Amino acid sequence: MGKFDHKDLLGIGQLSVEDISLILDTAESLKEISTRDIKKVPALRGKSVVNFFYEPSTRTRISFEMAAKRLSADTVSISASGSSLVKGETLKDTARNLQAMNPDIIVLRHSSSGAPHLLAMEVSAGVINAGDGINEHPTQALLDMFTIRERKGRLHDLDVAIIGDISHSRVARSNILGLTKMGARVTVSGPPTMMPVEIEALGATLVSDPVKALKDKDVIMMLRIQLERQNKTLFPTLREYSSFFGLTMRLVREARGDVIIMHPGPLNRGVEITSEVADSPYSVILDQVTNGVAVRMALLYLLIGGSKGDNAD
Amino acid sequence: MITLIKSGTLVDPVKGIVEKADLIIEDEKITGIFPPGAFKEKGAQITIVDAANRLIIPGLIDMHVHLREPGYEYKETIASGSRAAVAGGFTALACMPNTLPPNDCRSVTEFILEQGRKAGLAIVFPIAAITKGQKGEVLTEFGDIREAGAVAVSDDGFSVRNSELMRRALEYADFHGLKVISHCEDPSLSDGGVMHEGVVSTRIGLPGIPSACEEIMVYREISLSKLTGCPVHIAHVSTEGSVELIRRAKEKGLKVTAETAPHYFTLDHSAVVGYDTNAKVNPPLRTRRDVEAIRKGLAEGVIDVIATDHAPHNALQKEVEFDQAASGMIGLETALPLTLELVRDGVLGLPEAVGKLSCNAGLILGTGGGTLKEGDYADLAIVDPQYEYTLRKEAIVSKSWNTPFIGKTLKGKNEITMIKGKVVFPFKTSEP
């Protein structure tokens, strides 16, 4: 097995092609554990993982917890509402206090872009970015790439469309970086009010018309519309958004016959995706959730195993 | 008491010349400028300062600083800011009113003047608020404030949202002989933004502030100046578009002046990569293209003044998440070497560069100063233009050290600052 030489996972940008392949290969070998009767191996026994969620999250937090527990690590979860953050403690002080308890890994979800970078400078524990502001969500991109590779057998030479609110999507940013690095071609589409300036500098191709953007695609990745953005300045109504950018079966037919449809969740049924599409055989949305646990197991294993010597038998 | 500054290179921004000269100071004033060696020293009471290979420049004037007092003394005080100023070669400062309470009345203006006098270093000129509490609702008492000693009005940190109110401010300030300094920012376009909107903000996932946010307000102020016939000064110009608007306004003969800060002609938005909160500033660091346009604007005289926008913040505001960090960087101790870099790059001649850091601001504010001729107060700095050093946090005189230039190599260092013929820097003893 190759060497994973990182203290932290802060973003896809820091990973090489070899790193990503190693994570996906490791996840593939660990995935089977979750199908056993006894879903636990002792690989990370005696290690501790802190899940520090400054922003609400169900799926990602549970996924990290399950991943850690299946590897026998001890886990503690903190959310902002129950922590000293609401008492005015700075992130830096919280970090120092956590560090004083000697965890091996801190998983951080935070509403500020760059917060995991700040944390990583303060603590000797490994830091995993579980989503920071509108910057990156690297474990989501890794589980997405895992799911695509599982279905398509490869990542290179695939055509992927990412549709929706690109501006505010850390999922989009991480996936553009990861997929293009692995040799896929990424097309982004969405309302111009939700398209960041110079997006093509990240390696994606911008096609404003969603119908054209979906043409001959192997993978369609729909992004969640944050309902609170409605009635602000970005789009007038959900109704209008869904009629132009919502994924319907009619639009799915623009893509390749064996297209797979992905969504990072949680779904707004009837907004960015119709129920018909979400529940169709094209959809791999629940596979993404299953694979999330495997990918996070792989990361915990590689980060702890890589930095603290090999005591996993 | 007579002082002879010997064998230096005198930079006179008014005459636009650089010449080798000996300078005689008697008590508070410059009493003679001689060709090298022409002055015959007689008597033993002359203090001689050897200025060989040094520049003698007028004491610098910074028309845009935040001294944080009253209210935020943990970031900077008038005394600590004045110390940083004289260390950087500045002998006069104009301080912005966004203190706590804001400087929006006679009593705060007088307090600032008094604290400035007590500090006894750089001359401190208060800039008062345009509106009460800087809330953009009611004008402050310009007449009273002027009498108390304020030299200009500004709601720096905010634009006056209400255009009608801004129009009245220009008219009323002109009547009282106060300059209006405008911080140009359309708040609806900057809302939530923390850096320049461009390829870097897209890449690192931070909400952006477009250039139009500044330019819209620059255009409004130019329009209002045209409407009223009253002068307006545009603070901290950061975009190519703003330079263009000001250029056209000046070509039409409108009474518009402008300043920029050293970071806008030195750094671009890539300084933010890595979420360095010391590079978070408002207006934000823009693109390389904007940096080039600012340099061109300086070279062509579109931008009259280099001001630091010295904005001290301590770790509590800076060692936090990027979007929660305060905007601003200190600048008093780095302005001179960064401006000399423009001279080395051929953007500005030495007298022009020094003028933008001194007499031009004195002209705009109506305070005078920044000149070196017989009869002037001996406010000056003696600078080694060749000295190279790495900026260390520990060496910073200001109470705060929020600057992205820590660890960077700077060239050009102020060695001696004199105010009214007295050496105020280097500091004599370690003061509290």
Side-chain angles (χ1 to χ4, degrees), chain A residues 91-92 110 112-115 117-118 134-135 173 196-199 201-202, chain B residues 197-199 201-207 275 316 319-324:
Chain A
L91 177 62
K92 221 174 140 168
H110 199 289
S112 297
S113 302
H117 305 67
L118 181 66
I134 58 171
N135 178 39
R173 206 169 253 100
V197 294
E198 301 186 55
I199 184 68
L202 264 62
Chain B
E197 179 176 320
V199 69
S201 67
T202 293
R203 218 179 263 286
I204 68 176
L206 285 172
Y275 306 97
L316 284 174
E319 292 178 10
V320 296
E321 296 87 325
F322 194 90
D323 56 357
Q324 286 162 40

Side-chain angles (χ1 to χ4, degrees), chain B residues 54-135:
Chain B
R54 301 292 185 268
L55 302 176
I56 305 169
I57 61 174
L60 305 178
I61 302 173
D62 190 345
M63 68 180 291
H64 193 143
V65 297
H66 299 271
L67 297 180
R68 304 300 188 207
E69 187 181 352
Y72 304 103
E73 290 84 356
Y74 66 98
K75 299 182 183 191
E76 192 83 288
T77 61
I78 291 170
S80 69
S82 302
R83 280 170 63 82
V86 295
F90 289 90
T91 56
L93 304 172
C95 60
M96 285 296 173
N98 58 339
T99 46
L100 187 69
N103 180 11
D104 61 1
C105 63
R106 174 185 279 271
S107 60
V108 181
T109 299
E110 285 175 346
F111 169 78
I112 291 167
L113 284 166
E114 182 54 29
Q115 292 298 88
R117 271 191 294 271
K118 275 192 200 157
L121 295 165
I123 303 159
V124 177
F125 295 113
I127 298 170
I130 297 173
T131 62
K132 274 276 162 203
Q134 294 193 296
K135 290 195 178 114

Side-chain angles (χ1 to χ4, degrees), chain B residues 24-25 34 42 45 55 63 155 171 212 217 222 226-227 254 264 266 279 292 357 366 371 389 400 403 406 409 411 421:
Chain B
I24 307 297
I25 297 164
F34 296 91
K42 31 190 181 230
Q45 279 109 326
L55 302 176
M63 68 180 291
D155 271 359
E171 292 169 338
M217 279 297 178
I222 291 170
K226 187 177 169 196
L227 172 70
L254 300 178
Y264 300 119
T266 308
E292 292 308 324
L357 276 173
T371 57
Y389 63 105
S400 296
T403 166
I406 289 174
T409 301
K411 191 172 175 186

Side-chain angles (χ1 to χ4, degrees), chain A residues 4 6 42 64 95-96 203 235 290 294:
Chain A
F4 192 71
H6 298 274
F64 267 109
R96 287 172 175 164
F235 62 97
T290 305

Side-chain angles (χ1 to χ4, degrees), chain B residues 10-19 349-353 355 359:
Chain B
L10 189 82
V11 182
D12 183 339
V14 180
K15 289 195 200 134
I17 52 170
V18 179
E19 59 183 9
L350 192 49
E352 289 76 29
C359 58

